[in-house]
């Protein structure tokens, strides 16, 4: 059996966790392939609400093996805390079940400090990062000076590596950014303890994936963030530092494209974005506020209010193109209830020239010169949270979904109508 990829089609927070949750029963291994604890998903278990940032959201499906893949950057303090929280709820987090790929990279406290320092130095041009050290850790990886998780197999050697890199970062932090020095000794000691705790979870991630596929099991690949936050294909420089697109699953986990049977894009029925950068269909008005409140659009990781706006079809077409989507999951349709008329961006326009594609190839600056072209669709007033079948949706809601489907050229196979697991319409 094959690999199924779940990727964000917008700027993240599309509700990938609920799609993973729905597909987990048929999966043997569920693997995160990119990002770090900048991502976040809320898991409700045993009456407790957990915010997970690293452990794949399928962890509550006891038959699954959860892999944190090589494309991920890991803050070990955060990972240990998540394992503890899950264990306290009675979830199996033993090394036989929760695996960490040896080629994942390690986030240090100084990576976080550098993230903050660089953001402050950018002043008004700040990117609005989550300040979790994501960018600096991937930068060290690309510069080939990073620390990999596999080094934790030898906690003493790992602690020495941590001390070395912390010293190098500290020179930068004190000289270039005028910050206080970080205690190298304390950091090394803390990381020695994390290594002791995590070393049995280490695995050859690519080999695990290969075995899973060879044995005929399903591999479910969980992307973090979304297409427009992808380092290469997003709204650069207002992006994250990893490969959030479908290709990132292949490099992040170490398997080939022939294994991929399905690529599911996840999009909200509207658009949101956290952090800075262009957002052509943003609503800086009451409708935007209404969507934020109804949809509870506040960041899982930072609590920041998310910017809200109309659905942008050129963005979704772009996501189909960049990821090779086979189908789309459209979440949070219920949030649009009561808004009439609804507007949807169908194209872009600049100096009288109209295009159907999302004009991002020349960067964020160039995108600002284009204006979205809208079409209006009728809204609906009926509550739809109880809908479980397509036929339960009011005609205007059905029309909205089919309009999107026809415009992007791939089927919408899931419609989310509320936060609960059951509030899902599976089509086809
Ligand atoms: P970083 O990933 O912390 O470097 O932040 C870079 C950009 O990505 C910022 O605009 C963040 O708000 C955004 N970002 C990072 N992770 C997420 C996420 O999980 N959801 C939404 N936005 C994110």
């Amino acid at each position: 059996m094959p690999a199924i990829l779940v990727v964000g089609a917008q700027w993240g927070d599309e509700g990938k966790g609920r799609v993973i949750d729905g597909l987990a029963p048929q999966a043997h291994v569920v693997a995160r392939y990119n990002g770090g604890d900048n991502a976040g998903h809320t898991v409700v278990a045993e009456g407790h609400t957990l915010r997970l940032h690293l452990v794949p959201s399928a962890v509550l499906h006891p038959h699954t093996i959860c892999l944190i893949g090589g494309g991920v950057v890991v803050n070990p303090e955060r990972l240990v805390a998540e394992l503890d929280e899950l264990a306290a709820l009675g979830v199996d987090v033993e090394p036989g079940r929760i695996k960490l790929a040896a080629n994942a990279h390690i986030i240090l406290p100084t990576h976080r400090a550098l993230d903050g320092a660089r953001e402050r130095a950018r002043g008004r041009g700040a990117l609005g990062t989550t300040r979790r050290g994501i960018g600096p850790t991937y930068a060290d990886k690309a510069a080939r000076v990073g620390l990999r998780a596999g080094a934790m197999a030898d906690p003493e050697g790992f602690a020495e590596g941590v001390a070395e890199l912390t010293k190098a970062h500290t020179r930068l932090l004190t000289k270039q950014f005028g910050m206080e020095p970080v205690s190298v000794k304390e950091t090394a000691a803390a990381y020695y303890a994390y290594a002791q705790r995590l070393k049995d979870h280490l695995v050859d991630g690519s080999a695990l994936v290969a075995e899973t596929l060879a044995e005929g099991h399903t591999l479910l690949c969980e992307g973090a963030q979304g297409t427009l936050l992808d380092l290469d294909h997003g709204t650069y420089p207002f992006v994250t530092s990893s490969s959030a697109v479908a290709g990132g699953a292949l490099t992040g986990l170490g398997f080939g494209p022939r294994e991929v049977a399905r690529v599911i894009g996840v999009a909200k029925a509207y658009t949101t974005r956290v952090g800075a950068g262009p957002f052509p269909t943003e609503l800086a008005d009451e409708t935007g506020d209404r969507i934020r409140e109804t949809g509870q659009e506040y960041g899982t990781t930072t609590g920041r209010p998310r910017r809200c706006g109309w659905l942008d079809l050129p963005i979704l077409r772009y996501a189909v193109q960049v990821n090779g989507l086979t189908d789309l999951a459209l979440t949070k349709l219920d949030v649009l209830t009561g808004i009439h008329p609804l507007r949807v961006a169908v194209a872009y326009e600049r100096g009288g020239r109209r295009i159907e594609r999302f004009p991002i190839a020349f960067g964020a600056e160039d995108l600002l010169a284009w204006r979205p072209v809208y079409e209006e669709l009728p809204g609906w007033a009926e509550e739809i949270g109880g809908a479980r079948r397509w036929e339960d949706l009011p005609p205007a809601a059905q029309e909205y979904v089919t309009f999107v489907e026809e415009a992007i050229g791939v089927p919408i196979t899931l419609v989310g109508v509320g936060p609960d697991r059951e509030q899902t319409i599976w089509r086809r």
Side-chain angles (χ1 to χ4, degrees):
M1 281 278 280
I4 300 175
L5 276 47
V6 177
V7 306
Q10 296 159 321
W11 276 288
D13 310 313
E14 298 94 346
K16 294 175 287 292
R18 77 127 18 100
V19 178
I20 294 283
D21 190 60
L23 295 172
Q26 39 174 305
H28 181 60
V29 172
V30 183
R32 252 292 286 282
Y33 65 78
N34 74 300
D37 62 326
N38 49 350
H41 44 255
T42 308
V43 175
V44 182
E46 317 275 323
H48 296 270
T49 301
L50 273 184
R51 290 187 205 288
L52 295 178
H53 300 277
L54 282 167
V55 176
S57 36
V59 69
L60 297 182
H61 293 266
H63 71 283
T64 56
I65 288 176
C66 294
L67 170 66
I68 299 169
V72 176
V73 288
V74 177
N75 175 351
E77 182 185 5
R78 184 66 239 154
L79 180 55
V80 166
E82 276 180 26
L83 296 180
D84 286 348
E85 284 166 37
L86 286 162
L89 293 179
V91 177
D92 173 8
V93 292
E94 292 305 310
R97 178 160 191 240
I98 310 280
K99 315 270 189 189
L100 171 59
N103 59 340
H105 275 249
I106 295 291
I107 301 179
L108 296 180
T110 43
H111 283 124
R112 295 205 299 277
L114 281 167
D115 195 357
R118 286 184 182 143
E119 276 288 88
R120 278 192 295 278
R122 285 186 195 107
R124 287 163 60 89
L127 306 176
T129 75
T130 60
R131 301 195 177 205
R132 298 297 168 107
I134 306 298
T137 307
Y138 279 114
D140 277 355
K141 171 178 171 174
R144 293 155 296 182
V145 297
L147 276 170
R148 305 217 294 184
M152 292 193 293
D154 163 24
E156 268 166 34
F158 177 65
E160 282 166 24
V162 168
E164 280 306 303
L165 195 53
T166 303
K167 268 186 222 158
H169 288 159
T170 303
R171 280 194 290 276
L172 206 62
L173 283 164
T174 50
K175 293 217 169 75
Q176 195 175 330
F177 297 103
M179 290 172 67
E180 292 295 310
V182 175
S183 165
V184 174
K185 219 170 143 192
E186 273 172 32
T187 308
Y191 275 64
Y192 175 84
Y194 301 142
Q196 289 286 9
R197 175 72 196 277
L198 295 172
K199 65 182 170 45
D200 294 339
H201 293 268
L202 293 171
V203 69
D204 175 339
S206 174
L208 171 64
V209 162
E211 258 165 50
T212 305
L213 294 167
E215 283 168 10
H217 295 305
T218 296
L219 168 74
L220 189 55
C221 307
E222 175 174 343
Q225 292 87 43
T227 302
L228 294 184
L229 286 173
D230 180 88
L231 179 61
D232 294 290
H233 302 288
T235 47
Y236 192 87
F238 300 96
V239 292
T240 190
S241 300
S242 70
S243 293
V245 296
L250 306 184
T251 52
L253 297 172
F255 67 100
R258 283 186 305 171
E259 308 287 352
V260 180
R262 191 173 171 195
V263 187
I264 308 172
V266 187
K268 279 180 204 171
Y270 46 96
T271 312
T272 65
R273 157 160 227 180
V274 211
F279 179 177
T281 63
E282 182 169 15
L283 284 164
D285 63 6
E286 277 169 22
T287 309
D289 294 344
R290 174 187 176 138
I291 291 175
R292 184 175 310 105
E293 290 317 310
T294 318
Q296 278 305 294
E297 296 295 352
Y298 294 89
T300 317
T301 299
T302 56
R304 289 179 288 179
R306 296 182 184 137
R307 300 157 66 191
C308 300
W310 298 121
L311 189 66
D312 187 325
L313 296 179
I315 286 181
L316 297 190
R317 281 190 209 108
Y318 181 66
V320 171
Q321 169 195 312
V322 171
N323 300 296
L325 299 185
T326 53
D327 51 318
L328 189 83
L330 194 71
T331 61
K332 297 187 117 171
L333 186 65
D334 56 301
V335 174
L336 297 181
T337 297
I339 303 177
H340 175 82
L342 292 163
R343 300 180 86 195
V344 176
V346 294
Y348 275 80
E349 186 266 335
R350 176 185 196 166
R353 180 171 159 235
R354 179 185 157 121
I355 57 169
E356 308 283 314
R357 60 178 177 79
F358 187 57
I360 190 54
F362 293 92
E365 190 79 13
D366 185 66
L367 173 60
L368 292 173
W370 295 84
R371 292 276 158 268
V373 179
Y374 291 102
E375 265 186 44
E376 285 190 354
L377 294 175
W380 58 91
E382 301 91 328
E383 283 302 324
I384 59 172
R388 295 294 173 270
R389 296 167 312 154
W390 176 249
E391 301 75 52
D392 299 337
L393 289 176
Q398 288 184 355
E399 194 189 319
Y400 188 84
V401 176
T402 31
F403 183 83
V404 176
E405 193 168 56
E406 280 163 19
I408 64 172
V410 299
I412 293 178
T413 48
L414 177 157
V415 179
V417 293
D420 234 80
R421 197 183 257 186
E422 285 73 40
Q423 291 177 297
T424 306
I425 299 171
W426 295 89
R427 299 170 76 208
R428 283 165 248 202

